[in-house]
Amino acid sequence: MRFANKVAVITGAARGIGRACAERFLGEGAKVVLGDIDAEHLKETAAAIGAPDNVLAVVTDVGKKEQVVALIDAAVKKFGRIDIMVNNAGIAPVQDFLEISEADYDRVLAVNLKGTFMGTQAAGRRMIAQGHGGVIVNMSSINSGLANPRVATYANSKGGMNQVTGTAAVAFAPHGIRVVGV
């Protein structure tokens, strides 16, 4: 049980990669906190993956700082700590470059870039206060370095997210907190 006595918070955890991460952490002994904007799938995932004593589901819009902070606070309130943060929430609309509206652009950056920044910042603050290190994992993409005009907003957000990851890694290293991109 690699993660016994550890608490992992995962955004975008209702489906896909986020749910798979939650299942794996739970299977390795961690307590998991699932954050997602999709309340219906979040509830289904929480019920399907584990016992209520080890799983907490919190409806979270990662594009809103106060909700990201509330997610971290809920994890600490229920489980007493946070050891791992997985910033997985993301959206990738396929659109013609010239058809992307300002609202489309803002929405993708709010979820993918701002959400990662806020999650990294909130988790980092809590881990520093706890004083026992931790790890923050930010889900990147090969598209962060590719010029694909059909996913321009996604590529922009993931390129920026790579910078969030690098700068946070340097900022948090003195506190024993690793920040990595996958």
Side-chain angles (χ1 to χ4, degrees), residues 38-180:
D38 183 342
E40 183 181 331
H41 281 104
L42 184 63
K43 183 178 178 181
E44 290 170 9
T45 295
I49 69 169
D53 291 345
N54 296 324
V55 177
L56 173 66
V58 180
V59 175
T60 307
D61 179 347
V62 298
K64 297 185 173 152
K65 180 180 179 176
E66 67 277 3
Q67 290 190 31
V68 175
V69 171
L71 174 67
I72 299 300
D73 290 346
V76 173
K77 183 176 181 182
K78 171 118 176 146
F79 298 121
R81 60 191 288 147
I82 175 178
D83 302 287
I84 302 155
M85 176 69 176
V86 180
N87 289 302
N88 172 69
I91 54 176
V94 176
Q95 296 173 284
D96 181 84
F97 190 93
L98 295 176
E99 299 302 316
I100 298 167
S101 70
E102 183 177 5
D104 294 334
Y105 189 84
D106 289 347
R107 181 173 160 256
V108 173
L109 266 67
V111 174
N112 298 3
L113 182 56
K114 182 181 175 186
T116 295
F117 183 90
M118 293 302 155
T120 299
Q121 189 178 61
R125 280 192 175 121
R126 181 62 69 170
M127 289 173 182
I128 290 168
Q130 291 172 166
H132 57 74
V135 64
I136 299 170
V137 179
N138 295 331
M139 294 297 189
S140 187
S141 169
I142 193 156
N143 284 295
S144 67
L146 294 178
N148 181 345
R150 301 288 296 157
V151 290
T153 53
Y154 180 75
N156 283 201
S157 70
K158 293 300 182 172
M161 193 215 26
N162 288 349
Q163 284 298 318
V164 169
T165 302
T167 55
V170 172
F172 298 165
H175 305 283
I177 300 166
R178 291 174 291 125
V179 185
V180 299

Side-chain angles (χ1 to χ4, degrees), residues 7-11 13 31-35 54-58 71 74-75 79:
V7 177
V9 177
I10 305 152
T11 66
K31 295 182 180 354
V32 296
V33 180
L34 315 172
N54 296 324
V55 177
L56 173 66
V58 180
L71 174 67
F79 298 121

